[in-house]
């Protein structure tokens, strides 16, 4: 009994230590990006960094649905664009009473369409940015998952839905300005020009807050019983069904949450780029989201953020230094990561990299078994009881 209590106490202590370390990292991340980077970077570079951080939110959603649940979505550009359009519509309506956005007059539209009128309200806009992408994702997910479609067929369906939305938005000139999209850079929000440095700095800081909040939500979702169910769906869905669970509603829920995260990312990205167009639903962009997670390491959360920042930063540097051939460098980088680091950067650090770093400082290699039996308190207790019984006999 005393051994069991001591082991449980040791386990709780280890968990507290991990939480303290993670909390310290989050605080350090926040201070570095929120305080130090605005002092170092010019406003243009800071805007780029803000966009990368906004895209990291979408990557967290991808990691939640793909890394933990095993469902590869190639259509997250739908939800990303819906969030961006929702906030852009609100900004475009910040006009004197009786006026409508200029692009309507180009197509002979004199009265504001009914679809736009709710976006006069800022609370409704916030609701639309989060809930509308989540609802669309939930409906799409329900139609797919109720028929037990998964694997490559799920990926194909999400990409097909992406193409449908892309073509639909491209053809809506009189409603949302079609291929030209909605520009927000010169418009005002709360009386301030969206593209002005103070407003961009404010949106940069807001992006950091949302990124931290969504990371903590993902951490909470994946660390408890719900996270275990997601991993069970990924690893052996049939066994989960035989255990009495219905995976359909869990998959619908997590896909909906992932879509909502993409909507938030789209809204924050839009105000920091100054425009939202149907190109946000381009097939290549949705595939690139998956690449961010693959490079960082799927099923790690931290890897989703790290992969997004590294890939987008590398893309920016290469396109500036080698404007004619940078795509070849990017393609080579992805091939190297896939072939050499199949588990991503964070996955490599957990398996090989960490041991190599320890060996540089003279520490012995950590012995790991699956599923980490040497750290399991129940296994340790059984081992001690077994050794005690042998000694007693």
């Amino acid at each position: 009994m005393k051994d069991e209590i001591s082991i449980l106490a040791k386990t709780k202590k280890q968990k507290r230590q991990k939480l303290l370390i993670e909390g310290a990292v989050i605080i350090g991340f926040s201070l570095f990006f929120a305080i130090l980077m605005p002092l170092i970077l010019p406003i243009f570079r800071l805007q780029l960094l803000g966009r990368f951080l906004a895209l990291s939110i979408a990557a967290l959603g991808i990691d939640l649905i793909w890394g933990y649940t095993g469902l590869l979505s190639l259509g997250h550009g739908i939800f990303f664009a819906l969030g961006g359009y929702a906030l852009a519509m609100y900004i475009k309506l910040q006009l004197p009473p009786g006026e409508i956005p200029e692009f309507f007059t180009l197509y002979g539209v004199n009265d504001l369409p009914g679809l736009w009128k709710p976006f006069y309200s800022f609370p409704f806009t916030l609701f639309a940015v989060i809930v509308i992408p989540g609802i669309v994702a939930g409906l799409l997910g329900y139609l797919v998952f109720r028929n037990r479609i998964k694997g490559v067929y799920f990926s194909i369906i999400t990409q097909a839905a992406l193409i449908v939305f892309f073509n639909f938005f491209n053809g809506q000139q009189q409603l949302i300005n079609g291929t030209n999209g909605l520009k927000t850079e010169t418009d005002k929000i709360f009386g301030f020009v969206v593209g002005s440095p103070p407003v961009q700095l404010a949106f940069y800081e807001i992006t950091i807050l949302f990124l931290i909040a969504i990371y903590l939500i993902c951490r909470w979702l994946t660390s408890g019983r719900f996270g275990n169910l997601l991993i069970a769906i990924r690893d052996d869905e049939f066994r989960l069904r035989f255990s009495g669970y219905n995976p359909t509603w869990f998959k619908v829920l997590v896909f909906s949450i992932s879509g909502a995260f993409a909507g938030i990312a789209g809204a924050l990205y839009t105000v920091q780029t100054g425009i939202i167009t149907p190109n946000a639903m381009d097939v290549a962009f949705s595939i690139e989201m998956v690449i961010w997670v693959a490079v960082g390491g799927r099923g790690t959360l931290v890897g989703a953020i790290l992969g997004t920042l590294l890939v987008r930063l590398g893309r920016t540097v290469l396109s500036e230094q080698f404007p004619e051939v940078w795509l070849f460098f990017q393609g080579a980088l992805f091939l190297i990561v896939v072939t050499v680091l199949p588990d991503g950067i964070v996955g490599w650090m957990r398996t090989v990299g960490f041991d190599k770093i320890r060996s540089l400082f003279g520490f012995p290699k950590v012995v790991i078994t699956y599923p980490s039996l040497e750290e399991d308190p129940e296994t340790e207790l059984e081992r001690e009881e077994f050794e005690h019984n042998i000694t007693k006999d």
Side-chain angles (χ1 to χ4, degrees), residues 53-236:
L53 294 174
L55 294 174
S56 298
I57 296 175
L60 284 174
I62 292 286
D63 198 18
L64 196 63
I65 189 69
W66 180 40
Y68 284 90
T69 318
L71 300 169
L72 177 58
S73 171
L74 298 179
H76 259 56
I78 298 172
F79 321 123
F80 185 90
L82 288 174
Y85 271 99
L87 186 56
M89 289 167 72
Y90 170 78
I91 294 173
K92 296 297 291 185
L93 291 177
Q94 303 309 296
L95 298 169
E99 294 187 16
I100 61 175
E102 293 181 0
F103 75 87
F104 282 120
T105 59
L106 299 176
Y107 306 110
V109 178
N110 298 319
D111 296 323
L112 187 69
L115 178 67
W116 280 70
K117 293 180 180 179
F119 290 94
Y120 276 116
S121 169
F122 184 68
F124 176 83
T125 301
L126 291 180
F127 174 84
V129 165
I130 301 172
V131 177
I132 289 180
I135 290 176
V136 173
L139 290 175
L140 177 62
Y142 175 72
L143 294 175
V144 173
F145 300 138
R146 68 191 295 266
N147 294 309
R148 300 190 180 183
I149 297 173
K150 58 182 181 179
V152 65
Y153 301 103
F154 171 74
S155 302
I156 292 172
I157 289 175
T158 54
Q159 191 169 90
L162 180 70
I163 295 172
V164 170
F165 272 83
F166 175 77
N167 291 326
F168 175 77
F169 275 65
N170 263 330
Q172 299 301 314
Q173 282 83 5
Q174 295 183 348
L175 186 63
I176 53 174
N177 205 22
T179 56
N180 297 317
L182 302 177
K183 297 180 181 180
T184 62
E185 187 175 9
T186 57
D187 294 311
K188 292 185 177 181
I189 183 169
F190 302 124
F192 300 95
V193 178
V194 172
S196 63
V199 174
Q200 288 299 304
L201 177 60
F203 277 118
Y204 170 79
E205 302 289 355
I206 291 171
T207 301
I208 294 174
L209 292 176
F210 269 100
L211 177 58
I212 294 172
I214 289 174
Y215 171 80
L216 292 176
I217 291 172
C218 291
R219 186 76 173 80
W220 174 67
L221 288 174
T222 56
S223 60
R225 185 178 180 183
F226 184 76
N228 292 334
L229 287 170
L230 297 183
I231 294 173
I233 292 172
R234 180 193 67 190
D235 294 344
D236 198 336

Side-chain angles (χ1 to χ4, degrees), residues 156-379:
I156 292 172
I157 289 175
T158 54
Q159 191 169 90
L162 180 70
I163 295 172
V164 170
F165 272 83
F166 175 77
N167 291 326
F168 175 77
F169 275 65
N170 263 330
Q172 299 301 314
Q173 282 83 5
Q174 295 183 348
L175 186 63
I176 53 174
N177 205 22
T179 56
N180 297 317
L182 302 177
K183 297 180 181 180
T184 62
E185 187 175 9
T186 57
D187 294 311
K188 292 185 177 181
I189 183 169
F190 302 124
F192 300 95
V193 178
V194 172
S196 63
V199 174
Q200 288 299 304
L201 177 60
F203 277 118
Y204 170 79
E205 302 289 355
I206 291 171
T207 301
I208 294 174
L209 292 176
F210 269 100
L211 177 58
I212 294 172
I214 289 174
Y215 171 80
L216 292 176
I217 291 172
C218 291
R219 186 76 173 80
W220 174 67
L221 288 174
T222 56
S223 60
R225 185 178 180 183
F226 184 76
N228 292 334
L229 287 170
L230 297 183
I231 294 173
I233 292 172
R234 180 193 67 190
D235 294 344
D236 198 336
E237 184 176 338
F238 289 108
R239 179 174 294 182
L240 185 66
R241 287 185 181 275
F242 287 134
S243 300
Y245 290 94
N246 183 5
T248 299
W249 291 109
F250 291 104
K251 291 191 286 186
V252 170
L253 177 59
V254 72
F255 193 49
S256 181
I257 294 172
S258 179
F261 290 165
I264 295 171
L268 294 171
Y269 187 81
T270 296
V271 292
Q272 294 180 91
T273 54
I275 188 172
I276 180 69
T277 70
N279 287 333
M281 290 179 279
D282 185 61
V283 172
F285 182 59
S286 290
I287 294 176
E288 188 179 350
M289 292 184 187
V290 175
I291 292 174
W292 302 335
V293 179
V295 169
R298 67 190 186 105
T300 61
L301 295 182
V302 174
I305 299 174
L306 180 63
T308 305
L309 295 178
L310 290 179
V311 172
R312 296 298 295 193
L313 178 62
R315 177 177 178 174
T316 300
V317 172
L318 290 173
S319 62
E320 291 177 351
Q321 299 297 323
F322 311 98
E324 296 181 356
V325 296
W326 71 272
L327 283 174
F328 294 99
F329 285 102
Q330 181 176 264
L333 175 64
F334 293 154
L335 288 175
I336 291 172
V337 169
V338 170
T339 54
V340 179
L341 304 175
D343 295 326
I345 296 172
V346 176
W348 177 82
M349 286 296 297
R350 288 179 174 179
T351 54
V352 180
F354 183 67
D355 286 334
K356 290 188 175 182
I357 294 174
R358 285 175 59 89
S359 63
L360 292 176
F361 293 94
F363 292 102
K365 182 179 179 180
V366 178
V367 179
I368 299 177
T369 60
Y370 184 82
S372 299
L373 292 178
E374 74 284 352
E375 296 180 357
D376 187 357
E378 294 183 359
T379 304

